[in-house]
Amino acid sequence: MEILRVGDADFKEQVLQADAPTLVDFYADWCGHCREIAPLLEDLAREDQVRIAKVDVDKNPALADGYKIMSIPALLLFKDGEVAARKIGGASRQEILEMLH
C-alpha cells in the first residue's frame, strides 16, 4: 500500500472518514528523527501492516496545532475518526506494531 500525503484540504476525507485505521506521521523534512523512521513506515505500508498518511507540519500548521503536535515525529493512530493511540519521538518497529493493536 502506498503512503498517502495529506494536508488541510484532504485530511478529513483521507483520515477521519477512512474505512480503515490510519497511522498519521506528523513530520518535517528537516527533522532527523523523522527521516530515521521513514523507511520503517514505508516497510509497514508495503507489507500492508497499516494504512499510513504523512502530514508535513511546516505546510499544514493548523492540523499540527489542532492535534497539539509539539514535537516530531508524532505518530497518531486514527480509528473511526478519533485518535486511538499516540507516540511522540522515534519509534521501533515493535512499538509501532504494538500501537496498532
Side-chain angles (χ1 to χ4, degrees), residues 31-96:
C31 168
H33 290 296
C34 299
R35 288 192 305 269
E36 286 177 17
I37 69 165
L40 174 58
L41 296 175
E42 290 168 10
D43 286 347
L44 291 172
R46 190 170 31 257
E47 296 166 7
D48 288 330
Q49 293 286 337
V50 65
R51 185 173 186 267
I52 297 176
K54 294 179 77 74
V55 173
D56 184 329
V57 297
D58 290 333
K59 294 178 181 171
N60 302 281
L63 264 177
D65 289 344
Y67 287 100
K68 298 178 177 28
I69 304 301
M70 304 292 197
S71 298
I72 52 175
L75 300 174
L76 276 63
L77 178 64
F78 286 83
K79 290 183 180 177
D80 300 320
E82 301 290 329
V83 177
R86 176 185 291 253
K87 174 80 172 105
I88 307 299
S92 69
R93 178 185 178 88
Q94 187 60 38
E95 289 172 320
I96 294 171

Side-chain angles (χ1 to χ4, degrees), residues 17-39:
Q17 297 174 344
D19 292 333
T22 304
L23 182 65
V24 179
D25 175 22
F26 287 86
Y27 79 100
D29 290 333
W30 50 263
C31 168
H33 290 296
C34 299
R35 288 192 305 269
E36 286 177 17
I37 69 165

